[in-house]
């Protein structure tokens, strides 16, 4: 089977918008899908010339609302639209639609015959927006109308097992097919389309990706530049990150850049799941040899591990798992990553005499408290839930306090270095307030060093405030990078930074 194509779905309101998007991304994709159901009424009547306006083959799709599209008119009017779009076929095939998508229950022989006569390939599709399809191959056989179609099944997986099943079913098919699992859990089916022998994978331009809400498309640049999609084959080594909901993560960029630089046939991708055991099961079935583990799985993963490193034992959280000799081994690279980032921001300052405030007592704080203790600093843990602060602080002989106005004096005492480890401020670009700045009650005077483990946005509200007061600041991207380098070594045996 040939490598899967990249098809960009166009969901603009006007043909002009879609033409501009097709031209903008033409070097990243192999074909486009014109979603007529997203066009305004007037432009729906004018799609016939669309293929001649772009330099890519085009799929004609008029998706009904029941199948996840926007078309709510009658089947008769939909048939009229199909007929208008396919009519007056040109000898130059580039000026016609190259494909048309007919749902499995849409059977109009005259349109089908016309499509075949004009060399327009038929995609015969089935969508389940709410549930899983298990017997994909069998379903394709039942759906086939002509024997020449490309069979497409898109479904919403209930769990990652359903995605593993998709790969297994895809391998069994000896006919052209497109299998995609939608939603956050379905992402591996899109990036690893080569593993299911899928004919293509769908992407959406950044500009209109929100129109495909819930479907789980990547954008054309990310699938190429971050995931190196065209190079993925059955032989590619797989690594990943598991978490939930894991909406944003910078880890794939870091790891995949390393593979590219060092010419390794490997890809790193998200395995989003609310159950870490599902991710581990998937990894075992797909041959994934290592995974980063993030919120909320860093502690729940422990019970599935065969052996853990001394750091994991001490910290009580694991952010890296490696598959060796049919067993899972757990590591914590957050601690090492933070240590390097922390020493970097401190520069030549003598740390032993410094008093450190650790804001938060969650997973990140646990690895950070361990490091701060190792470095011999005095510290105080401040947390919204005081009992968690107490538990963490007692482990290392630190002080603790509730996070809030009442602890202002205590924070002043431990303000040489403030390490912000809560999720407060993540994704916030507004100026500081009670909801986005965990220490809104504290006034910086400029002597503090602030390290915020958050890295999106790159300047959090509390960082902005500290910078204005003249403090030395850093976001958590350095920690993310350095902990990823340690993972990279555990996964591949290679030093990330060596050429
Ligand atoms: P976690 O285990 O869920 O802990 C969350 C922490 O944030 C807890 O201390 C929690 O306090 C506190 N918190 C949450 N909402 C709060 C609110 N509204 N007000 C006050 N405190 C609040 O999460 P985590 O794994 O520690 O991650 C925390 C952050 O660190 C995330 O933004 C994550 O992306 C980031 N992180 C960055 C790196 C990196 O490499 N840069 C590594 C790991 C984590 P309670 O105990 O009271 O709930």
């Amino acid at each position: 089977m040939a490598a899967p194509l990249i098809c960009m779905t166009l969901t603009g309101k006007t043909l002009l918008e879609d033409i501009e998007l097709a031209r903008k991304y033409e070097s990243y994709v192999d074909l486009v899908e014109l979603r007529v159901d997203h066009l305004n009424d007037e432009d729906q009547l004018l799609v016939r010339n669309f293929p001649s306006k772009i330099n890519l083959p085009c799929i004609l799709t008029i998706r009904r609302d029941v199948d996840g599209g926007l078309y709510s008119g009658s089947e008769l009017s939909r048939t009229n639209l199909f007929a208008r779009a396919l009519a007056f076929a040109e000898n130059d095939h580039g000026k016609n639609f190259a494909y048309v998508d007919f749902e499995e229950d849409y059977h109009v022989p005259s349109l089908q015959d016309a499509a075949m006569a004009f060399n327009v390939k038929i995609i015969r599709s089935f969508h389940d927006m709410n549930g899983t399809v298990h017997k994909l191959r069998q379903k394709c056989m039942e759906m086939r109308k002509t024997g020449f179609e490309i069979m497409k099944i898109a479904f919403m997986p209930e769990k990652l097992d359903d995605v593993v099943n998709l790969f297994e079913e895809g391998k069994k098919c000896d006919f052209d097919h497109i299998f995609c699992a939608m939603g956050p859990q379905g992402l591996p089916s899109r990036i690893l389309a080569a593993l299911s022998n899928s004919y293509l994978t769908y992407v959406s331009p950044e500009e209109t990706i929100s129109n495909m809400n819930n479907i789980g498309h990547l954008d054309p640049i990310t699938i190429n530049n971050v995931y190196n999609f065209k190079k993925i084959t059955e032989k590619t080594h797989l690594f990943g990150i598991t978490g939930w909901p894991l909406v944003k993560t910078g880890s794939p960029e870091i790891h995949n850049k390393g593979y590219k630089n060092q010419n390794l046939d490997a890809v790193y991708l998200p395995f989003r799941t609310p159950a870490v055991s599902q991710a581990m099961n998937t990894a075992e079935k797909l041959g994934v040899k290592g995974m980063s583990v993030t919120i909320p799985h860093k502690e729940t993963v422990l019970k599935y591990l065969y052996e853990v490193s001394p750091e994991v034992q001490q910290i009580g959280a694991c952010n890296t798992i490696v598959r060796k000799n049919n067993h899972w081994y757990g590591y914590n690279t957050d601690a090492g990553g933070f240590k390097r980032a922390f020493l970097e921001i401190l520069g030549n300052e003598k740390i032993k005499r410094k008093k450190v405030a650790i804001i938060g007592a969650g997973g990140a704080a646990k690895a950070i408290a361990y490091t701060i203790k190792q470095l011999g600093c005095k510290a105080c843990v401040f947390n919204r839930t005081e009992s968690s602060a107490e538990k963490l602080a007692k482990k290392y002989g630190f002080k603790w306090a509730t996070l809030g106005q009442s602890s202002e004096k205590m924070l002043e005492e431990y303000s040489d270095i403030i390490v912000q480890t809560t999720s407060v401020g993540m994704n916030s670009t507004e100026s500081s307030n009670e909801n986005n700045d965990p220490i809104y009650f504290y006034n910086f005077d400029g002597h503090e060093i602030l390290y915020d483990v958050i890295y999106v946005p790159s300047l959090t509200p509390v960082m902005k405030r500290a910078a204005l007061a003249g403090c030395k600041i850093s976001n958590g991207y350095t920690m993310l990078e350095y902990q990823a380098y340690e993972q990279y070594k555990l996964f591949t045996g290679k030093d990330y930074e060596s050429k």
Side-chain angles (χ1 to χ4, degrees):
M1 293 253 178
L5 304 172
I6 300 179
C7 174
M8 181 170 71
T9 301
L10 295 169
T11 54
K13 284 196 172 57
T14 65
L15 286 167
L16 194 61
E17 194 184 333
D18 285 338
I19 289 166
E20 279 169 6
L21 291 170
R23 289 182 182 159
K24 178 172 176 187
Y25 292 106
E26 65 183 21
S27 60
Y28 293 95
V29 301
D30 302 297
L31 69 162
V32 293
E33 176 190 39
L34 179 67
R35 285 286 298 269
V36 178
D37 50 301
H38 279 256
L39 291 170
N40 63 40
D41 290 353
E42 199 178 309
D43 280 24
Q44 285 188 356
L45 300 172
L46 304 172
V47 300
R48 173 62 194 91
N49 293 328
F50 183 77
S52 65
K53 301 274 183 353
I54 59 170
N55 297 317
L56 294 162
C58 183
I59 303 174
L60 170 68
T61 300
I62 314 174
R63 188 72 72 228
R64 299 173 298 206
D65 45 10
V66 286
D67 296 313
L70 297 184
Y71 196 81
S72 55
S74 70
E75 283 297 74
L76 181 63
S77 50
R78 200 161 74 106
T79 299
N80 283 335
L81 285 181
F82 273 127
R84 284 181 75 102
L86 296 173
F88 312 114
E90 301 235 13
N91 287 335
D92 176 357
H93 288 170
K95 294 185 174 167
N96 302 328
F97 283 96
Y99 304 82
V100 59
D101 183 315
F102 291 146
E103 294 81 4
E104 58 140 5
D105 61 342
Y106 181 79
H107 194 42
V108 179
S110 55
L111 273 181
Q112 199 169 285
D113 292 348
M116 285 166 70
F118 301 147
N119 255 327
V120 181
K121 288 187 184 149
I122 297 172
I123 296 173
R124 182 72 61 191
S125 63
F126 173 77
H127 301 84
D128 189 335
M129 306 306 291
N130 301 309
T132 297
V133 180
H134 292 289
K135 296 187 172 165
L136 290 105
R137 185 175 178 278
Q138 189 180 320
K139 176 82 188 159
C140 286
M141 304 307 273
E142 290 162 9
M143 282 159 56
R144 284 184 112 161
K145 299 269 190 300
T146 66
F148 298 103
E149 301 134 309
I150 300 168
M151 309 309 298
K152 173 186 171 189
I153 298 180
F155 65 86
M156 192 62 78
E158 280 149 27
K159 47 190 187 318
L160 275 179
D161 274 348
D162 301 334
V163 183
V164 174
N165 178 59
L166 174 150
F167 291 122
E168 286 165 2
E169 288 282 307
K171 280 183 197 140
K172 286 194 255 166
C173 295
D174 55 1
F175 47 83
D176 283 336
H177 60 275
I178 303 165
F179 286 170
C180 30
M182 298 182 279
Q185 298 190 83
L187 187 64
S189 77
R190 301 186 182 279
I191 297 172
L192 303 178
L195 269 58
S196 63
N197 290 333
S198 198
Y199 185 82
L200 59 77
T201 195
Y202 292 94
V203 297
S204 277
E206 179 83 58
E207 291 86 341
T208 55
I209 212 158
S210 58
N211 293 347
M212 303 308 280
N213 225 351
N214 207 23
I215 300 285
H217 282 190
L218 289 171
D219 69 82
I221 297 181
T222 301
I223 202 163
N224 282 287
N225 293 1
V226 175
Y227 294 103
N228 220 358
F229 178 81
K230 290 285 184 180
K231 294 265 169 75
I232 299 173
T233 68
E234 283 235 2
K235 292 190 185 136
T236 303
H237 295 280
L238 304 179
F239 301 102
I241 175 164
T242 183
W244 185 258
L246 191 58
V247 178
K248 276 197 181 141
T249 163
S251 298
E253 268 152 26
I254 300 172
H255 284 263
N256 287 322
K257 188 172 157 198
Y259 307 147
K260 220 185 244 183
N261 286 346
Q262 300 188 343
N263 228 350
L264 301 181
D265 183 10
V267 64
Y268 176 106
L269 66 148
F271 291 95
R272 297 174 175 137
T273 169
V276 71
S277 57
Q278 274 282 312
M280 297 170 91
N281 195 24
T282 300
E284 286 163 34
K285 291 200 170 130
L286 297 182
V288 176
K289 289 286 186 287
M291 276 197 292
S292 311
V293 179
T294 188
I295 303 171
H297 302 325
K298 286 185 184 179
E299 286 167 37
T300 40
V301 74
L302 295 174
K303 62 174 178 278
Y304 300 105
L305 302 176
Y306 177 71
E307 207 176 285
V308 298
S309 68
E311 283 87 4
V312 172
Q313 231 159 25
Q314 180 65 30
I315 295 163
C318 164
N319 80 328
T320 309
I321 56 174
V322 176
R323 185 90 180 149
K324 282 185 285 195
N325 310 320
N326 289 329
H327 292 298
W328 286 107
Y329 292 76
Y331 304 86
N332 191 307
T333 67
D334 278 339
F338 173 71
K339 186 174 178 182
R340 184 170 164 191
F342 187 68
L343 293 175
E344 205 168 83
I345 190 174
L346 282 173
N348 295 327
E349 307 242 9
K350 296 234 172 347
I351 40 176
K352 288 229 163 102
R353 297 212 186 109
K354 300 283 180 200
K355 285 183 151 183
V356 182
I358 300 171
I359 312 299
K366 284 181 180 152
I368 285 164
Y370 166 84
T371 308
I372 300 278
K373 181 68 184 178
Q374 263 195 336
L375 292 170
C377 305
K378 289 199 165 88
C380 179
V381 181
F382 299 80
N383 196 45
R384 177 179 61 177
T385 310
E386 195 181 331
S387 56
S388 314
E390 179 180 358
K391 195 168 165 208
L392 181 59
K394 278 186 168 166
K395 190 167 174 180
Y396 298 110
F398 295 158
K399 297 254 192 274
W400 71 89
T402 313
L403 182 60
Q405 190 93 51
S406 59
S407 314
E408 196 183 347
K409 282 272 165 291
M410 190 71 149
L411 186 49
E412 271 168 22
E413 192 188 331
Y414 282 84
S415 62
D416 292 334
I417 307 166
I418 300 175
V419 186
Q420 194 308 103
T421 79
T422 74
S423 45
V424 181
M426 196 156 73
N427 300 323
S428 174
T429 48
E430 290 167 27
S431 53
S432 159
N433 60 50
E434 279 187 36
N435 299 320
N436 64 19
D437 180 342
I439 50 169
Y440 65 92
F441 53 87
Y442 176 80
N443 290 312
F444 290 94
D445 68 14
H447 85 280
E448 305 89 343
I449 294 176
L450 174 70
Y451 191 88
D452 192 335
V453 296
I454 292 173
Y455 55 91
V456 179
S458 54
L459 203 57
T460 60
V462 68
M463 283 171 68
K464 268 186 218 161
R465 226 161 40 82
L468 278 175
C471 304
K472 203 165 165 186
I473 57 163
S474 172
N475 67 32
Y477 195 76
T478 46
M479 175 179 171
L480 180 79
E481 262 187 321
Y482 298 149
Q483 66 77 29
Y485 295 175
E486 288 190 16
Q487 288 179 332
Y488 191 88
K489 176 90 180 175
L490 289 165
F491 293 166
T492 66
K494 296 192 182 306
D495 284 325
Y496 189 93
E497 292 162 287
S498 71
K499 285 284 159 206

